[in-house]
Amino acid sequence: MTDAAASLDTDDPRAGRTALGHPLEELIACPSCDALYVAQMPPVGGRAVCDRCHTVLISPKRKAGMRIIALTVAVLILVVSAMFFPFLDIHRLGLGNSASILDAATAFETGPMALLGLATAAVIVVVPLVRMLLILYVLTPVVFDRPPARHARRAFRWSQELKPWSMAEIFAIGCAVALVKVADLAQIGFGPAFWMFSVLVVIVLFNDNYLCTWSVWKSLERPRE
Amino acid sequence: MVGMEVSGTSARVTAREAGLVACRACARVWPAETERCGRCGARLVSRDTASLQKVWAWWIAGLVCYIPANLYPMLVTETLVQSSSNTIVGGAVEIAHHGAYGIAAIILIASVLIPVGKFMAIAFLAISARRGSHVPPTRRQHVYEIVEFIGRWSMIDVFVVAILSALVQLSSVASITPGPAALTFALSVVFTMLSAQSFDSRLIWDRARKNRRDDTQ
Ligand SMILES: [Zn+2]
Ligand SMILES: [Zn+2]
């Protein structure tokens, strides 16, 4: 998305007003402190930082789009397959049991606890999956130099709003804690899904680091054909 | 790090002062009277005036849920020899007795220190946004960012309960079931996250600017 700073068509009737001597579409306001700047694309790999509150405003990365797509596809595969493999297994006195992610989400069975189960499933599986699908939907046309997909802007905004509610990585750390908690009660082993989730955690962290939202917004300004 | 060209002047202008309204979702600016962002579709408010009411409403809801979360058991463990139920603090103490001080510390930090610290931090931000504060805005912005980043991690305890309840089902030998505190704790985490998200961090900076202007006059 290095071409994201390319000039954009302004057939928007509300455009045309100016501030700081620039048309509005060339400005950027810090979302944290409202400071107004003339948006200037830093060189690839650099960052433009709000000099009042130090929020990172723009941070274009080399081949970011392609990398994000690759990582996102990897996450999709991992989450889906991790659902069907056991996560942890347990043995004691000849008895054994193993739990998958779905088992964990459905552990809260009765009454109001079932709601908690639904919420758990949502934040560890559904929300991460939906976020990944939205990001793929938005970025794929952009990366392959096509006009943005239908409703791409709304999809991208949703993907950003869902970010705090995507908790797969917290769940993975929770497993490690669970392991220690019952270490004296029984023997516990990690199933294949645990390792898949561990990889996933690392990818998710990298992925969010690559994503420069300003660059994406810029590229979504291209009119659809 | 690459700085940004700041409009040539050292006197910084906010979008609001320039007669514009900024989109907090995509950072685009629009003329002040615009209602929806033409780029991403987010609703635009120059300053969320209801922000602090929303912050306090979620804050109180979070606190109300946090109290039973500490009084009721989080986990009910049944083994051949005994049945025990643990509150959050009780569970951490028991783990410490087994010598796993590190894990006990993680649980205490994640489910006691962080939630309590979050309640205090959000209250401080909301009060200082209205009344002003001697704490510089940069510091307060940091506090806000930490609260936003760290809040979700409190969910770890709920996930541990879910994992254990699913896993430890060895008929009569050992079984674990979630206690009522798991629900109220999860609700408390969600409400505090909503409280923090409702806070309009631009209020921190407006106030500081106004104070500085008053001082120079
Ligand atoms: Zn800023
Ligand atoms: Zn917007």
Side-chain angles (χ1 to χ4, degrees):
Chain A
M1 274 173 297
T2 46
D3 60 338
S7 67
L8 45 121
D9 302 11
T10 49
D11 42 6
D12 188 326
R14 281 172 299 188
R17 285 190 54 176
T18 60
L20 306 180
H22 286 261
L24 295 190
E25 67 268 16
E26 287 173 17
L27 303 177
I28 182 171
C30 174
S32 301
C33 76
D34 210 34
L36 189 63
Y37 301 100
V38 177
Q40 265 211 334
M41 229 32 187
V44 172
R47 303 194 300 173
V49 180
C50 172
D51 67 13
R52 182 152 79 150
C53 74
H54 307 296
T55 301
V56 176
L57 299 175
I58 314 179
S59 58
K61 306 276 195 314
R62 188 179 305 280
K63 295 213 166 69
M66 215 50 205
R67 281 187 200 175
I68 291 169
I69 288 178
L71 292 176
T72 306
V73 170
V75 168
L76 274 176
I77 295 170
L78 283 173
V79 172
V80 173
S81 46
M83 278 197 291
F84 300 102
F85 284 102
F87 212 90
L88 295 167
D89 52 66
I90 183 171
H91 296 280
R92 177 179 163 135
L93 304 179
L95 287 168
N97 187 26
S98 67
S100 69
I101 297 174
L102 288 181
D103 292 330
T106 50
F108 306 105
E109 274 165 352
T110 48
M113 286 307 214
L115 277 179
L116 187 54
L118 280 179
T120 308
V123 294
I124 61 183
V125 178
V126 181
V127 174
L129 277 181
V130 169
R131 253 200 96 208
M132 294 298 138
L133 289 172
L134 287 173
I135 288 177
L136 276 185
Y137 178 75
V138 172
L139 286 188
T140 314
V142 170
V143 168
F144 292 103
D145 230 11
R146 314 291 302 237
R150 183 180 292 271
H151 303 308
R153 301 173 184 192
R154 192 182 305 165
F156 188 59
R157 180 161 57 89
W158 284 347
S159 83
Q160 292 310 103
E161 281 170 2
L162 282 175
K163 203 169 157 184
W165 304 101
S166 167
M167 301 187 176
E169 72 273 22
I170 301 173
F171 183 77
I173 306 289
C175 281
V177 177
L179 187 84
V180 181
K181 264 199 156 173
V182 287
D184 60 318
L185 200 67
Q187 281 238 291
I188 288 202
F190 292 117
F194 178 81
W195 302 112
M196 291 180 186
F197 244 63
S198 309
V199 176
L200 182 148
V201 171
V202 177
I203 295 180
V204 168
L205 295 180
F206 265 107
N207 218 358
D208 287 338
N209 195 32
Y210 269 123
L211 195 68
C212 169
T213 50
W214 179 259
S215 308
V216 176
W217 284 121
K218 272 289 170 198
S219 51
L220 292 183
E221 277 178 343
R222 267 177 55 174
R224 286 170 46 90
E225 275 151 28
Chain B
M1 230 196 279
V2 179
M4 190 180 286
E5 184 200 359
V6 190
S7 68
T9 60
S10 59
R12 212 179 291 105
V13 172
T14 65
R16 186 190 181 85
E17 287 162 350
L20 304 170
V21 55
C23 173
R24 300 194 76 197
C26 74
R28 176 85 153 86
V29 289
W30 300 97
E33 63 278 10
T34 317
E35 275 174 17
R36 261 183 199 283
C37 176
R39 181 156 77 174
C40 72
R43 238 164 48 80
L44 300 175
V45 263
S46 181
R47 291 298 177 272
D48 193 347
T49 40
S51 163
L52 294 179
Q53 278 106 299
K54 278 184 268 174
V55 170
W56 284 117
W58 290 122
W59 190 90
I60 291 166
L63 193 64
V64 165
C65 290
Y66 187 64
I67 295 164
N70 279 283
L71 298 179
Y72 289 99
M74 196 83 168
L75 276 179
V76 182
T77 313
E78 281 169 56
T79 61
L80 283 177
V81 282
Q82 58 169 342
S83 164
S84 66
S85 53
N86 277 132
T87 57
I88 294 170
V89 176
V93 169
E94 197 186 289
I95 286 176
H97 274 305
H98 292 304
Y101 295 106
I103 296 297
I106 288 179
I107 294 170
L108 279 182
I109 290 170
S111 11
V112 180
L113 215 62
I114 289 178
V116 172
K118 250 176 74 167
F119 283 122
M120 289 177 5
I122 295 172
F124 162 70
L125 289 170
I127 291 169
S128 64
R130 174 150 295 167
R131 302 220 178 133
S133 160
H134 293 296
V135 181
T138 322
R139 183 81 46 82
R140 278 186 279 153
Q141 178 76 29
H142 270 150
V143 170
Y144 181 62
E145 278 161 17
I146 292 168
V147 166
E148 279 237 287
F149 173 80
I150 229 167
R152 328 153 51 232
W153 284 91
S154 301
M155 276 311 249
I156 199 167
D157 237 39
V158 179
F159 294 154
V160 169
V161 172
I163 296 162
L164 290 179
S165 313
L167 187 64
V168 187
Q169 294 298 338
L170 303 174
S171 57
S172 58
V173 178
S175 77
I176 289 181
T177 41
L183 180 64
T184 51
F185 187 82
L187 284 175
S188 165
V189 175
V190 168
F191 290 153
T192 3
M193 280 175 73
L194 290 170
S195 174
Q197 284 180 11
S198 310
F199 184 71
D200 188 342
S201 65
R202 298 175 297 191
L203 296 173
I204 297 176
W205 298 91
D206 285 349
R207 183 85 207 184
R209 237 178 134 72
K210 193 167 159 287
N211 286 352
R212 198 171 334 122
R213 217 173 295 137
D214 293 345
D215 290 346
T216 51
Q217 274 165 8

